[in-house]
Amino acid sequence: MSTVSPDELTTERLAGLEPGPVLGRELDPEVGDGTLVSDPAVRPPLVLGRRDFRSITETICSWTENAPGRWWTLAFLTSSTVAGVGTLMILYLIVTGVGVWGLNNPVGWGWAIVNFVWWVGIGHAGTLISAILCIFKQKWRTSINRFAEAMTIFAVICAGMFPGIHVGRIWFAWFLFPIPNSNAIWPNFRSPLLWDVFAVGTYFTVSLLFWYMGMIPDLATLRDRAVRRLRAATGGGRFELAIGKVRALAYGLLSLGWRFSSRHWQNYEKAYILLAGIATPLVLSVHSVVSFDFATAIIPGWHTTIFPPYFVAGAIFSGFAMVLTLLVPARELYPGMKDFVTMRTLENMCKIITVTGSMVGFAYITEFFIAWYSASSYEQQAFIIRAMGPYWWAYGTMFLCNVISPQVFWLKWARTTPWFIFIVSIVVNIGMWFERFVIVTTLSSDFLPGSWGYYSPTFVDVLTFVGSLGIFMTLFLLFMRFLPMLAISEVKNVIPQADPHGPTDHAADERQGD
Amino acid sequence: MAHAPANAAALLSPANTTLARDAGRLPAIGLVVLGVAALAIAVAGAILGDDTAKKVALASYHAGFLFTLGLSLGSMILVMILHQVNAGWSATVRRQLENVMSLMPLCLAFFVPVAVFAPLIFHWMDPHHTAGDVIYDAKSAYLNTPFFYVRAAAYFAAWLILSRMLDRHSVRQDADGDRFRTAKARRMSSYGLLIMALTAAFAGFDWMMSLDYHWFSTMFGVYFFAGFIGAATSLCALLLILLRNAGVMEGLVTREHLHDLGKLMFGFTVFWAYIGFSQYFLIWYGNIPEETMWFQTRRTDLWMPYSVALAFGRFIVPFLILMPRPWRRSPLVLGVMAVWILGFHALDTYWVVRPTVETAGAEVAPTWLDIVAMAGPILIFFGVLAMRIASRPLVPLKDPRLGEAMVHKNYV
Amino acid sequence: MATAAATAGAGRAWGVLAQFDSPAEVYHAAEKVRDAGYRKWDVYAPIPIHGIDEAMGLRPSKMGWIVGTCAALGASGGFLLQWWTSAVAYPMIVHGKPYGAWEPFTPITFELGVLIAGFGAVFGMLAVNGLPRWHHPLFSKERFLRASDDGFFIAVDARDPKFDESATARLLQEAGASAVETVEDE
């Protein structure tokens, strides 16, 4: 995880160690912006453009301090309109009842649960990037973790909405919680749906805490800049002054008086790594619990033991795709962002998509194989109907988008071409939506052929889902506008100047604890 | 930070990176002799004993074989992962994993007796057992003797080729210093991992799950993997601790590396528990006889204590002990836990394989034959491993990321 | 260069603030302050400098114990809640499972352990650090606001037994500070 730029590193590489012949080969030409190096002895730089502490602060803060481009206003108006339509649909559902959805007798769970699982899954990439990659010390993550965590929070908000409104009589939703009541009844703790309440609730809370805690120092940076601007303000309209005061007050309150003390940093870093440590099994548990919703039932095609890890892999897969869907355009729209979110970041994310996509493919194949191997005719039939029954088109889309499409990233060109990455990321998201659709519509043909049916959504289903996309985008645009989009202090910590040990005096205090 | 320490050249001197030619030779030979003796006793016990004794001996030997195979497979997968993620910290650690990985031919040798006497423990190979069994008939296109051997040959071919190629890149780099060998190994690891995922999972289905051929679980391949990957990490940590005690690898493998291996051991412990629990839990919850029977077999008065011991020994104890950072950094604690995890991984393998042995529908209690038959291949494996370690440099001497590994430090 | 003597304004000194130009400089200065035997002092930097806790001679953080305790409390509380409601207070047969079976209680036991541990990590960190806090004397210094940007500082508290306004300032000066000034108490 070097923070040294290639040239410095190559020259001082392995001081004292033999560099070794290259067997007549030239160094691989550096592609693109200097971050895609295939020489194993060279660590590409994490931050480009010879940036120092000040320029990092300037660039990242300027995105929230200056008025956004016209694209932002346009995007905000569009997405908030869509969100409004979604909200209307939800109101319509609440005043009418779940009958406005396309649910029918064999298929008691429809788009709502598909959307729920899809959104929760998307959220998982944020935690993976912020927690798991943090534990594995993948420093390239510092430029995308804030972004991905914000995505997590908003995705989980969208996810939580669906089971909430699915209960029908939403005013009884408090039944989900173990609240002492006059009937002396308690929730059924043996129900996977109740585990969902706790799992998703915990996930949302811990993600929010993690996100917020990571942001405290950066909010303090924005606070100090706002204060300095206020102090320096000469003239300017009364309106601007008021806005400035509100900014200083808001960032001041949110940053909790953080003053960059190293004694504080010590506890902060420890707390951060501990949060990462508990968020890692948490993210696994959440999607495992979501998979239990299906797998504890004895419905053929649902009751299969590989569901927990398979759901987790799929979640990370779709979440990475969603991060890329948001990141690739943002990289173009915000000046200077390419210095932080380098080609290597994109390339690494593409590789993770291929890995998790292949895991999902592995699970599809295992499922199919074991369904046959089980010699249970119901299991076998469930899978045959999935692939060749009335929903064959959904199964085909799923397989094509989730297993085949990510394999394009074996090609270097594919994973270093942003517009292409963007397209594949959308394809993957579509595929993962269909995966959940395939799983849910397994309900349409269970044990008794006499009770088979076919499910199709109504316009309310469709518009509620589209509305959730609008809610997500609205929240995300607000985040991009008002909060530090990149983790300023973390990015600063991966540039070479942050190393308190110069290349020369490193040996002096090394290896003492040994 | 990729600066090499000033005394890098001294640290990489032969005195620090190789074992003396005869160092550890005696214990190594001792282990092999002990293993051969154990096997001889097991063979004698099997020949002299009745039909049940033969089954018991082969089943336990099979568990011993699977244990050693798991160590090799796990080490190979770890090497591939480390290459694939361009890990720097592990450059000085990797050679020990390669040593374990390179014993794949020995695992093949261990497999031969299992292959020859397979019908003793793989009931589905026995026509008397499967006569009129409609469930068997439905899966006989997969579970039939010729295909079983074809698959075994394919798995071993893949493993032997991959381990040989990876190992050769590393050893040849010691000589020619071509740093692009690291890039080649990385490229190999990408498709290599794909092959490993499929072969290891299906090997698990074939050699462990099909012992109880009515039973099925989609998770089983992952369960096999989750067990051996933690054991392989533990073995690596144990080897490094022993080598450090022998006075070599000074400044090459430090507490920092042990700390990282400890974290991985902790992580894989939790991962095993997660996979094991999920598999058990979904079957418990579904409560369908054709699935629960596998756990039912292991919940009898005879096997229940082993099941409980496994849950505590393979998960709860290492989970609690490897949690505090100072303990994870202590070579003593880590070494003890590595032995502990290896022991309970052996129990796990035994627990999967051995309860499938039955005589006339009745379960067979563990005997002394189990111990010798299972210990045989394991002792030989460790003996040969000790010789392999002494036979070549202890670190990849010209790995381009050696410097990074030497100055590796965990700040938080 | 401003010096410590230039004490503007009234009030007694809260302490001395010294500015440094890079993480490396502040790191080595911290080692000197530590070796001089100061106790109530701190390094301020826009980043958590690697290894600064050793350079300052700090003891390991207590966060691990706080979070561990919270996790244990959350998990055991979660298990007890489920067991008591399902097996004692409101026993109900659900798919033929035993009332008090541990298996179905595992997910929520885990989730509540994590939830409380998460609270412990964030609120524990804030509590240990004495945050949130409305104001701090250091914030009155314009220069100090750069700690959130590219400034590196050492501040020694006047309450430190070894504190001596001029001697401390000299120490910091010699340790390579680019500017030293006195901070007034408020």
Side-chain angles (χ1 to χ4, degrees), chain A residues 1 12 17 22-23 25 27 39-40 43 137 190 195 273 288 296 303-306 373 511 514, chain B residues 3 12 86 139 176 178-180 217-219 255 274 281-282 285 291 401 404 406 408 410 412:
Chain A
M1 298 334 115
E12 58 123 303
L17 305 181
V22 196
L23 296 186
R25 256 166 305 171
L27 279 184
D39 184 342
R43 293 291 190 185
K137 297 184 187 154
R190 292 184 207 96
W195 308 337
I273 197 90
S288 300
T296 52
H303 182 62
T304 173
T305 48
I306 207 172
Y373 178 91
R511 308 281 69 86
D514 197 43
Chain B
H3 326 292
L12 286 175
N86 287 323
K139 44 179 101 176
D176 64 17
D178 178 5
R179 63 182 185 276
F180 282 92
S217 165
T218 39
M219 181 82 107
R255 253 170 217 260
Y274 163 63
F281 174 65
L282 288 174
Y285 205 101
E291 294 176 353
R401 293 173 188 139
E404 236 175 282
M406 288 184 203
H408 172 61
N410 290 299
V412 181

Side-chain angles (χ1 to χ4, degrees), chain A residues 267 270-271 274, chain B residues 323-325, chain C residues 60-71 121:
Chain A
N267 292 318
K270 189 78 187 174
L274 285 166
Chain B
M323 186 131 55
R325 177 182 152 110
Chain C
S61 170
K62 287 192 284 286
M63 289 311 301
W65 294 108
I66 297 174
V67 174
T69 313
C70 287

Side-chain angles (χ1 to χ4, degrees), chain A residues 1-4 9 12-23 25 27-28 38-41 43 136-137 139 190-192 195 269-270 273 284 288 292 295-296 298 303-306 308-309 312 358 362 366-367 369-370 372-376 410 499 501 503 506-507 510-511 513-514, chain B residues 1 3-4 6 8 12 86-88 135 138-139 141-143 176-180 182-183 186 190-191 194 197-198 201-202 205 209-210 213 215-219 244 254-256 260 263 274-275 278-279 281-283 285-286 288 291 325 398 400-401 403-404 406-412:
Chain A
M1 298 334 115
S2 161
T3 55
V4 185
L9 219 162
E12 58 123 303
R13 184 163 61 86
L14 307 174
L17 305 181
E18 301 161 63
V22 196
L23 296 186
R25 256 166 305 171
L27 279 184
D28 280 23
S38 57
D39 184 342
R43 293 291 190 185
F136 285 113
K137 297 184 187 154
K139 290 188 179 171
R190 292 184 207 96
S191 163
W195 308 337
E269 277 211 294
K270 189 78 187 174
I273 197 90
L284 264 75
S288 300
F292 290 164
T296 52
I298 52 167
H303 182 62
T304 173
T305 48
I306 207 172
V312 173
S358 306
F362 172 81
T366 314
E367 256 186 344
F369 168 71
I370 296 285
W372 172 81
Y373 178 91
S374 74
S376 153
W410 287 88
D499 185 3
H501 315 283
H506 210 270
E510 278 309 325
R511 308 281 69 86
D514 197 43
Chain B
M1 324 284 145
H3 326 292
L12 286 175
N86 287 323
I135 297 180
K139 44 179 101 176
Y142 182 81
L143 282 188
D176 64 17
D178 178 5
R179 63 182 185 276
F180 282 92
T182 304
R186 178 183 63 213
S190 58
Y191 62 81
L194 214 60
L198 283 172
F202 277 85
F205 292 150
M209 197 170 87
S210 88
Y213 66 93
W215 187 70
F216 56 91
S217 165
T218 39
M219 181 82 107
R244 274 165 48 98
T254 66
R255 253 170 217 260
E256 305 297 333
D260 278 330
K263 288 186 231 171
Y274 163 63
I275 297 296
S278 299
Q279 176 168 272
F281 174 65
L282 288 174
I283 288 172
Y285 205 101
I288 306 173
E291 294 176 353
R325 177 182 152 110
K398 290 173 184 167
R401 293 173 188 139
E404 236 175 282
M406 288 184 203
V407 299
H408 172 61
K409 197 164 159 72
N410 290 299
Y411 286 104
V412 181

Side-chain angles (χ1 to χ4, degrees), chain C residues 68-80:
Chain C
T69 313
C70 287
L73 285 177
S76 50
F79 188 86
L80 282 177

Side-chain angles (χ1 to χ4, degrees), chain A residues 296-467:
Chain A
T296 52
I298 52 167
I299 302 284
W302 279 14
H303 182 62
T304 173
T305 48
I306 207 172
F307 256 34
Y310 148 46
F311 265 52
V312 173
I316 290 162
F317 175 57
S318 65
F320 264 73
M322 186 57 110
V323 175
L324 282 172
T325 309
L326 298 169
L327 199 59
V328 171
R331 240 174 126 251
E332 304 295 330
L333 290 166
Y334 283 98
M337 197 163 173
K338 282 181 183 167
D339 284 354
F340 305 108
V341 185
T342 63
M343 277 319 293
R344 184 171 73 144
T345 309
L346 296 187
E347 197 192 10
N348 284 346
M349 295 179 73
C350 291
K351 286 179 182 171
I352 293 179
I353 285 190
T354 307
V355 171
T356 46
S358 306
M359 283 184 187
V360 169
F362 172 81
Y364 294 162
I365 293 166
T366 314
E367 256 186 344
F368 230 99
F369 168 71
I370 296 285
W372 172 81
Y373 178 91
S374 74
S376 153
S377 50
Y378 297 108
E379 282 291 328
Q380 293 172 350
Q381 156 245 306
F383 280 88
I384 290 169
I385 290 180
R386 261 188 201 176
M388 289 179 282
Y391 295 103
W392 63 270
W393 44 272
Y395 192 86
T397 312
M398 167 192 102
F399 212 90
L400 208 68
C401 296
N402 293 349
V403 186
I404 311 297
S405 86
Q407 306 303 333
V408 297
F409 289 139
W410 287 88
L411 302 173
K412 184 119 184 162
W413 175 84
R415 52 179 202 262
T416 52
T417 311
W419 65 266
F420 189 77
I421 297 175
F422 181 73
I423 291 173
V424 176
S425 76
I426 288 175
V427 169
V428 166
N429 271 315
I430 294 173
M432 282 309 290
W433 191 89
F434 271 101
E435 180 196 296
R436 280 64 178 252
F437 181 76
V438 164
I439 292 171
V440 169
T441 51
T442 304
L443 278 176
S444 66
S445 45
D446 58 3
F447 294 100
L448 276 179
S451 69
W452 289 5
Y454 189 83
Y455 166 86
S456 26
T458 63
F459 79 97
V460 185
D461 279 303
V462 179
L463 288 182
T464 312
F465 173 59
V466 174

